[in-house]
Amino acid sequence: ALRRLRDAGLAQVTNPDAPRLAWAMQPPTILWDVVRGEGHESLAPWARYHPPGGLPSLDELILPESAAKTVALMPGLLSGGEVQALFVRGPRHNGRLTLLGAIARAMGRGVVEITGLERADDERWRWVGPLAAILPAMPVVRLDLPPGETAELPPLSSYRGPLGVTLSKQGGVNAPALDRALTLTL
């Protein structure tokens, strides 16, 4: 049972150098704070929470008519499970995160904005899924990759909902756990 909690990112070993029988387990601080109701916008240097009420609605977005029609379909596709992830490409500061936030709000979710997790083996990835499930929020991973660079996204433990990813015009993503994804370019 403890291994399942650890694998799900809900518990961590505080003394990994000790023999396994002497391991002490505790919930990760970031998750414990959220469960206790102490979570606020800045959860950690790499994770920010945007509650649904602070996100724009789809009607507030200024989009060309064709793009607005496409975007209006996204909440249903993502919440229904037909699409697992939405990749939004475009230059910095052009509203990629705002667009994903409006889609999350239309699904009744907030956004957990993830930055700085460059490697798939980073321990902090284990907490992204539980954070999103507890809050409830859609994780949005912000990637700014140089040309020819590819980021790998690991599966998110304890979370089966939609994922958002912002990318510039260059760079790629390898996400073996995602077989149903769409890309929008702004």
Side-chain angles (χ1 to χ4, degrees):
L2 290 175
R3 178 178 289 185
R4 284 191 305 227
L5 287 172
R6 195 179 100 221
D7 291 346
L10 298 172
Q12 64 185 10
V13 178
T14 59
N15 57 344
D17 295 335
R20 187 176 292 202
L21 289 175
W23 277 1
M25 306 280 273
Q26 73 178 25
T29 305
I30 189 170
L31 297 179
W32 185 247
D33 289 347
V34 170
V35 168
R36 291 184 59 205
E38 295 176 10
H40 44 82
E41 188 172 308
S42 183
L43 300 170
W46 53 272
R48 293 180 57 86
Y49 175 60
H50 305 277
L55 299 170
S57 69
L58 289 174
D59 295 336
E60 293 176 83
L61 299 179
I62 300 171
L63 297 168
E65 188 175 331
S66 61
K69 288 180 182 179
T70 301
V71 168
L73 298 173
M74 292 302 125
L77 293 172
L78 289 164
S79 61
E82 290 92 344
V83 175
Q84 291 176 296
L86 180 58
F87 297 90
V88 181
R89 288 188 172 275
R92 281 187 186 182
H93 309 295
N94 75 336
R96 298 172 297 175
L97 180 62
T98 302
L99 174 70
L100 288 168
I103 291 169
R105 178 179 175 176
M107 295 185 299
R109 296 173 179 258
V111 165
V112 175
E113 178 186 355
I114 306 300
T115 57
L117 299 187
E118 307 294 327
R119 297 183 8 225
D121 62 349
D122 191 317
E123 177 78 10
R124 296 171 295 179
W125 277 114
R126 295 175 54 166
W127 305 324
V128 173
L131 271 175
I134 291 168
L135 284 168
M138 179 171 78
V140 173
V141 180
R142 295 183 63 184
L143 298 172
D144 289 311
L145 304 170
E149 188 84 17
T150 300
E152 185 164 342
L153 297 181
L156 301 180
S157 62
S158 306
Y159 178 73
R160 301 290 176 255
L163 172 69
V165 179
T166 67
L167 294 155
S168 59
K169 291 184 177 185
Q170 60 268 355
V173 175
N174 181 17
L178 301 174
D179 57 359
R180 296 179 313 273
L182 291 177
T183 300
L184 294 175
T185 301
L186 295 180

